[in-house]
PDB file of all heavy atoms in Angstrom:
ATOM      1  N   THR E 270     -24.512   6.689 -44.830  1.00  0.00           N
ATOM      2  CA  THR E 270     -24.073   7.818 -45.656  1.00  0.00           C
ATOM      3  C   THR E 270     -24.687   9.116 -45.155  1.00  0.00           C
ATOM      4  O   THR E 270     -24.011  10.150 -45.058  1.00  0.00           O
ATOM      5  CB  THR E 270     -24.481   7.587 -47.120  1.00  0.00           C
ATOM      6  OG1 THR E 270     -23.951   6.332 -47.562  1.00  0.00           O
ATOM      7  CG2 THR E 270     -23.942   8.693 -48.019  1.00  0.00           C
ATOM      8  N   TYR E 271     -25.964   9.074 -44.827  1.00  0.00           N
ATOM      9  CA  TYR E 271     -26.632  10.258 -44.296  1.00  0.00           C
ATOM     10  C   TYR E 271     -25.983  10.699 -42.983  1.00  0.00           C
ATOM     11  O   TYR E 271     -25.785  11.890 -42.734  1.00  0.00           O
ATOM     12  CB  TYR E 271     -28.112   9.985 -44.065  1.00  0.00           C
ATOM     13  CG  TYR E 271     -28.937   9.810 -45.322  1.00  0.00           C
ATOM     14  CD1 TYR E 271     -30.219   9.287 -45.258  1.00  0.00           C
ATOM     15  CD2 TYR E 271     -28.434  10.158 -46.582  1.00  0.00           C
ATOM     16  CE1 TYR E 271     -30.991   9.130 -46.397  1.00  0.00           C
ATOM     17  CE2 TYR E 271     -29.196   9.995 -47.724  1.00  0.00           C
ATOM     18  CZ  TYR E 271     -30.469   9.480 -47.627  1.00  0.00           C
ATOM     19  OH  TYR E 271     -31.232   9.320 -48.760  1.00  0.00           O
ATOM     20  N   SER E 272     -25.642   9.743 -42.140  1.00  0.00           N
ATOM     21  CA  SER E 272     -25.037  10.074 -40.847  1.00  0.00           C
ATOM     22  C   SER E 272     -23.646  10.673 -41.023  1.00  0.00           C
ATOM     23  O   SER E 272     -23.245  11.578 -40.280  1.00  0.00           O
ATOM     24  CB  SER E 272     -24.973   8.822 -39.967  1.00  0.00           C
ATOM     25  OG  SER E 272     -26.271   8.358 -39.676  1.00  0.00           O
ATOM     26  N   LYS E 273     -22.900  10.194 -41.996  1.00  0.00           N
ATOM     27  CA  LYS E 273     -21.579  10.758 -42.274  1.00  0.00           C
ATOM     28  C   LYS E 273     -21.713  12.197 -42.746  1.00  0.00           C
ATOM     29  O   LYS E 273     -20.957  13.086 -42.298  1.00  0.00           O
ATOM     30  CB  LYS E 273     -20.859   9.917 -43.336  1.00  0.00           C
ATOM     31  CG  LYS E 273     -19.454  10.416 -43.667  1.00  0.00           C
ATOM     32  CD  LYS E 273     -18.746   9.470 -44.625  1.00  0.00           C
ATOM     33  CE  LYS E 273     -17.334   9.969 -44.929  1.00  0.00           C
ATOM     34  NZ  LYS E 273     -16.599   9.019 -45.819  1.00  0.00           N
ATOM     35  N   ALA E 274     -22.664  12.451 -43.629  1.00  0.00           N
ATOM     36  CA  ALA E 274     -22.897  13.821 -44.088  1.00  0.00           C
ATOM     37  C   ALA E 274     -23.294  14.718 -42.922  1.00  0.00           C
ATOM     38  O   ALA E 274     -22.838  15.861 -42.810  1.00  0.00           O
ATOM     39  CB  ALA E 274     -23.984  13.831 -45.161  1.00  0.00           C
ATOM     40  N   LEU E 275     -24.154  14.205 -42.045  1.00  0.00           N
ATOM     41  CA  LEU E 275     -24.592  14.994 -40.899  1.00  0.00           C
ATOM     42  C   LEU E 275     -23.407  15.389 -40.017  1.00  0.00           C
ATOM     43  O   LEU E 275     -23.325  16.535 -39.552  1.00  0.00           O
ATOM     44  CB  LEU E 275     -25.606  14.196 -40.079  1.00  0.00           C
ATOM     45  CG  LEU E 275     -26.088  14.875 -38.798  1.00  0.00           C
ATOM     46  CD1 LEU E 275     -26.820  16.175 -39.100  1.00  0.00           C
ATOM     47  CD2 LEU E 275     -26.968  13.925 -37.995  1.00  0.00           C
ATOM     48  N   ALA E 276     -22.474  14.473 -39.796  1.00  0.00           N
ATOM     49  CA  ALA E 276     -21.313  14.769 -38.959  1.00  0.00           C
ATOM     50  C   ALA E 276     -20.500  15.931 -39.537  1.00  0.00           C
ATOM     51  O   ALA E 276     -20.051  16.815 -38.796  1.00  0.00           O
ATOM     52  CB  ALA E 276     -20.436  13.525 -38.822  1.00  0.00           C
ATOM     53  N   MET E 277     -20.331  15.963 -40.845  1.00  0.00           N
ATOM     54  CA  MET E 277     -19.573  17.046 -41.472  1.00  0.00           C
ATOM     55  C   MET E 277     -20.333  18.367 -41.384  1.00  0.00           C
ATOM     56  O   MET E 277     -19.729  19.423 -41.178  1.00  0.00           O
ATOM     57  CB  MET E 277     -19.286  16.695 -42.938  1.00  0.00           C
ATOM     58  CG  MET E 277     -18.402  15.485 -43.107  1.00  0.00           C
ATOM     59  SD  MET E 277     -18.209  15.064 -44.851  1.00  0.00           S
ATOM     60  CE  MET E 277     -17.722  13.344 -44.698  1.00  0.00           C
ATOM     61  N   LEU E 278     -21.628  18.302 -41.530  1.00  0.00           N
ATOM     62  CA  LEU E 278     -22.439  19.520 -41.421  1.00  0.00           C
ATOM     63  C   LEU E 278     -22.397  20.076 -40.006  1.00  0.00           C
ATOM     64  O   LEU E 278     -22.274  21.289 -39.804  1.00  0.00           O
ATOM     65  CB  LEU E 278     -23.885  19.223 -41.843  1.00  0.00           C
ATOM     66  CG  LEU E 278     -24.079  18.923 -43.327  1.00  0.00           C
ATOM     67  CD1 LEU E 278     -25.443  18.302 -43.576  1.00  0.00           C
ATOM     68  CD2 LEU E 278     -23.914  20.203 -44.152  1.00  0.00           C
ATOM     69  N   LEU E 279     -22.472  19.208 -39.023  1.00  0.00           N
ATOM     70  CA  LEU E 279     -22.405  19.653 -37.629  1.00  0.00           C
ATOM     71  C   LEU E 279     -21.014  20.164 -37.276  1.00  0.00           C
ATOM     72  O   LEU E 279     -20.851  20.941 -36.327  1.00  0.00           O
ATOM     73  CB  LEU E 279     -22.811  18.510 -36.694  1.00  0.00           C
ATOM     74  CG  LEU E 279     -24.279  18.061 -36.800  1.00  0.00           C
ATOM     75  CD1 LEU E 279     -24.529  16.860 -35.883  1.00  0.00           C
ATOM     76  CD2 LEU E 279     -25.221  19.206 -36.460  1.00  0.00           C
ATOM     77  N   ASP E 280     -20.015  19.745 -38.054  1.00  0.00           N
ATOM     78  CA  ASP E 280     -18.642  20.207 -37.847  1.00  0.00           C
ATOM     79  C   ASP E 280     -18.366  21.542 -38.536  1.00  0.00           C
ATOM     80  O   ASP E 280     -17.262  22.070 -38.470  1.00  0.00           O
ATOM     81  CB  ASP E 280     -17.665  19.140 -38.367  1.00  0.00           C
ATOM     82  CG  ASP E 280     -16.225  19.402 -37.950  1.00  0.00           C
ATOM     83  OD1 ASP E 280     -15.999  19.757 -36.771  1.00  0.00           O
ATOM     84  OD2 ASP E 280     -15.333  19.270 -38.813  1.00  0.00           O
ATOM     85  N   GLY E 281     -19.367  22.072 -39.237  1.00  0.00           N
ATOM     86  CA  GLY E 281     -19.200  23.407 -39.815  1.00  0.00           C
ATOM     87  C   GLY E 281     -19.345  23.525 -41.311  1.00  0.00           C
ATOM     88  O   GLY E 281     -19.320  24.637 -41.845  1.00  0.00           O
ATOM     89  N   ALA E 282     -19.466  22.400 -42.028  1.00  0.00           N
ATOM     90  CA  ALA E 282     -19.653  22.473 -43.480  1.00  0.00           C
ATOM     91  C   ALA E 282     -21.013  23.098 -43.792  1.00  0.00           C
ATOM     92  O   ALA E 282     -21.973  22.951 -43.044  1.00  0.00           O
ATOM     93  CB  ALA E 282     -19.549  21.091 -44.096  1.00  0.00           C
ATOM     94  N   MET E 283     -21.084  23.784 -44.919  1.00  0.00           N
ATOM     95  CA  MET E 283     -22.333  24.396 -45.365  1.00  0.00           C
ATOM     96  C   MET E 283     -23.141  23.400 -46.189  1.00  0.00           C
ATOM     97  O   MET E 283     -22.607  22.728 -47.066  1.00  0.00           O
ATOM     98  CB  MET E 283     -22.032  25.634 -46.209  1.00  0.00           C
ATOM     99  CG  MET E 283     -23.266  26.337 -46.729  1.00  0.00           C
ATOM    100  SD  MET E 283     -22.833  27.823 -47.704  1.00  0.00           S
ATOM    101  CE  MET E 283     -24.470  28.317 -48.288  1.00  0.00           C
ATOM    102  N   LEU E 284     -24.418  23.291 -45.882  1.00  0.00           N
ATOM    103  CA  LEU E 284     -25.323  22.417 -46.613  1.00  0.00           C
ATOM    104  C   LEU E 284     -25.756  23.079 -47.920  1.00  0.00           C
ATOM    105  O   LEU E 284     -26.235  24.216 -47.918  1.00  0.00           O
ATOM    106  CB  LEU E 284     -26.560  22.132 -45.748  1.00  0.00           C
ATOM    107  CG  LEU E 284     -27.721  21.399 -46.418  1.00  0.00           C
ATOM    108  CD1 LEU E 284     -27.304  19.982 -46.815  1.00  0.00           C
ATOM    109  CD2 LEU E 284     -28.935  21.360 -45.480  1.00  0.00           C
ATOM    110  N   ILE E 285     -25.586  22.357 -49.027  1.00  0.00           N
ATOM    111  CA  ILE E 285     -26.078  22.843 -50.320  1.00  0.00           C
ATOM    112  C   ILE E 285     -26.820  21.704 -51.008  1.00  0.00           C
ATOM    113  O   ILE E 285     -26.214  20.753 -51.499  1.00  0.00           O
ATOM    114  CB  ILE E 285     -24.942  23.355 -51.223  1.00  0.00           C
ATOM    115  CG1 ILE E 285     -24.232  24.551 -50.557  1.00  0.00           C
ATOM    116  CG2 ILE E 285     -25.486  23.758 -52.590  1.00  0.00           C
ATOM    117  CD1 ILE E 285     -23.190  25.216 -51.405  1.00  0.00           C
ATOM    118  N   GLY E 286     -28.140  21.814 -51.013  1.00  0.00           N
ATOM    119  CA  GLY E 286     -28.959  20.853 -51.731  1.00  0.00           C
ATOM    120  C   GLY E 286     -29.130  21.296 -53.167  1.00  0.00           C
ATOM    121  O   GLY E 286     -29.359  22.481 -53.440  1.00  0.00           O
ATOM    122  N   THR E 287     -29.033  20.368 -54.089  1.00  0.00           N
ATOM    123  CA  THR E 287     -29.143  20.753 -55.497  1.00  0.00           C
ATOM    124  C   THR E 287     -30.559  21.181 -55.857  1.00  0.00           C
ATOM    125  O   THR E 287     -30.754  22.017 -56.736  1.00  0.00           O
ATOM    126  CB  THR E 287     -28.729  19.599 -56.420  1.00  0.00           C
ATOM    127  OG1 THR E 287     -29.589  18.472 -56.196  1.00  0.00           O
ATOM    128  CG2 THR E 287     -27.286  19.190 -56.180  1.00  0.00           C
ATOM    129  N   ASN E 288     -31.556  20.611 -55.194  1.00  0.00           N
ATOM    130  CA  ASN E 288     -32.950  20.921 -55.537  1.00  0.00           C
ATOM    131  C   ASN E 288     -33.870  20.434 -54.425  1.00  0.00           C
ATOM    132  O   ASN E 288     -33.468  19.647 -53.563  1.00  0.00           O
ATOM    133  CB  ASN E 288     -33.345  20.270 -56.861  1.00  0.00           C
ATOM    134  CG  ASN E 288     -33.270  18.757 -56.824  1.00  0.00           C
ATOM    135  OD1 ASN E 288     -32.190  18.184 -56.699  1.00  0.00           O
ATOM    136  ND2 ASN E 288     -34.405  18.109 -56.910  1.00  0.00           N
ATOM    137  N   HIS E 289     -35.109  20.922 -54.466  1.00  0.00           N
ATOM    138  CA  HIS E 289     -36.072  20.617 -53.406  1.00  0.00           C
ATOM    139  C   HIS E 289     -37.325  19.899 -53.933  1.00  0.00           C
ATOM    140  O   HIS E 289     -38.411  20.051 -53.370  1.00  0.00           O
ATOM    141  CB  HIS E 289     -36.458  21.904 -52.674  1.00  0.00           C
ATOM    142  CG  HIS E 289     -35.453  22.337 -51.652  1.00  0.00           C
ATOM    143  ND1 HIS E 289     -34.208  22.843 -51.990  1.00  0.00           N
ATOM    144  CD2 HIS E 289     -35.490  22.333 -50.294  1.00  0.00           C
ATOM    145  CE1 HIS E 289     -33.537  23.127 -50.893  1.00  0.00           C
ATOM    146  NE2 HIS E 289     -34.290  22.842 -49.854  1.00  0.00           N
ATOM    147  N   ASP E 290     -37.188  19.087 -54.973  1.00  0.00           N
ATOM    148  CA  ASP E 290     -38.323  18.293 -55.446  1.00  0.00           C
ATOM    149  C   ASP E 290     -38.798  17.348 -54.339  1.00  0.00           C
ATOM    150  O   ASP E 290     -38.005  16.573 -53.800  1.00  0.00           O
ATOM    151  CB  ASP E 290     -37.928  17.426 -56.646  1.00  0.00           C
ATOM    152  CG  ASP E 290     -37.569  18.230 -57.876  1.00  0.00           C
ATOM    153  OD1 ASP E 290     -36.718  19.121 -57.758  1.00  0.00           O
ATOM    154  OD2 ASP E 290     -38.139  17.951 -58.941  1.00  0.00           O
ATOM    155  N   ARG E 291     -40.097  17.374 -54.051  1.00  0.00           N
ATOM    156  CA  ARG E 291     -40.626  16.483 -53.020  1.00  0.00           C
ATOM    157  C   ARG E 291     -40.770  15.057 -53.535  1.00  0.00           C
ATOM    158  O   ARG E 291     -40.444  14.094 -52.836  1.00  0.00           O
ATOM    159  CB  ARG E 291     -41.985  16.996 -52.518  1.00  0.00           C
ATOM    160  CG  ARG E 291     -41.895  18.322 -51.790  1.00  0.00           C
ATOM    161  CD  ARG E 291     -43.234  18.746 -51.193  1.00  0.00           C
ATOM    162  NE  ARG E 291     -44.234  18.960 -52.244  1.00  0.00           N
ATOM    163  CZ  ARG E 291     -45.271  18.164 -52.470  1.00  0.00           C
ATOM    164  NH1 ARG E 291     -45.441  17.077 -51.732  1.00  0.00           N
ATOM    165  NH2 ARG E 291     -46.141  18.432 -53.438  1.00  0.00           N
ATOM    166  N   ILE E 292     -41.297  14.911 -54.762  1.00  0.00           N
ATOM    167  CA  ILE E 292     -41.510  13.593 -55.346  1.00  0.00           C
ATOM    168  C   ILE E 292     -41.100  13.604 -56.808  1.00  0.00           C
ATOM    169  O   ILE E 292     -40.999  14.658 -57.431  1.00  0.00           O
ATOM    170  CB  ILE E 292     -42.980  13.127 -55.232  1.00  0.00           C
ATOM    171  CG1 ILE E 292     -43.928  14.114 -55.951  1.00  0.00           C
ATOM    172  CG2 ILE E 292     -43.370  12.963 -53.764  1.00  0.00           C
ATOM    173  CD1 ILE E 292     -45.371  13.653 -55.975  1.00  0.00           C
ATOM    174  N   LEU E 293     -40.863  12.413 -57.340  1.00  0.00           N
ATOM    175  CA  LEU E 293     -40.527  12.237 -58.752  1.00  0.00           C
ATOM    176  C   LEU E 293     -41.499  11.240 -59.381  1.00  0.00           C
ATOM    177  O   LEU E 293     -41.894  10.258 -58.737  1.00  0.00           O
ATOM    178  CB  LEU E 293     -39.101  11.696 -58.913  1.00  0.00           C
ATOM    179  CG  LEU E 293     -37.941  12.575 -58.451  1.00  0.00           C
ATOM    180  CD1 LEU E 293     -36.635  11.793 -58.581  1.00  0.00           C
ATOM    181  CD2 LEU E 293     -37.880  13.851 -59.256  1.00  0.00           C
ATOM    182  N   ALA E 294     -41.869  11.491 -60.625  1.00  0.00           N
ATOM    183  CA  ALA E 294     -42.710  10.541 -61.351  1.00  0.00           C
ATOM    184  C   ALA E 294     -41.888   9.344 -61.795  1.00  0.00           C
ATOM    185  O   ALA E 294     -40.738   9.470 -62.207  1.00  0.00           O
ATOM    186  CB  ALA E 294     -43.335  11.232 -62.565  1.00  0.00           C
TER     187      ALA E 294
END
């Protein structure tokens, strides 16, 4: 799944992460 997302991003899609939490309790 990560590799599929990467292919679309390298093809020009814009990356939008919902949040940048490093860890969760």
Side-chain angles (χ1 to χ4, degrees):
T270 304
Y271 291 166
S272 296
K273 181 175 181 177
L275 177 62
M277 296 176 201
L278 291 165
L279 294 176
D280 191 44
M283 180 179 175
L284 171 65
I285 298 186
T287 61
N288 62 294
H289 279 71
D290 294 53
R291 294 185 297 109
I292 60 175
L293 296 175

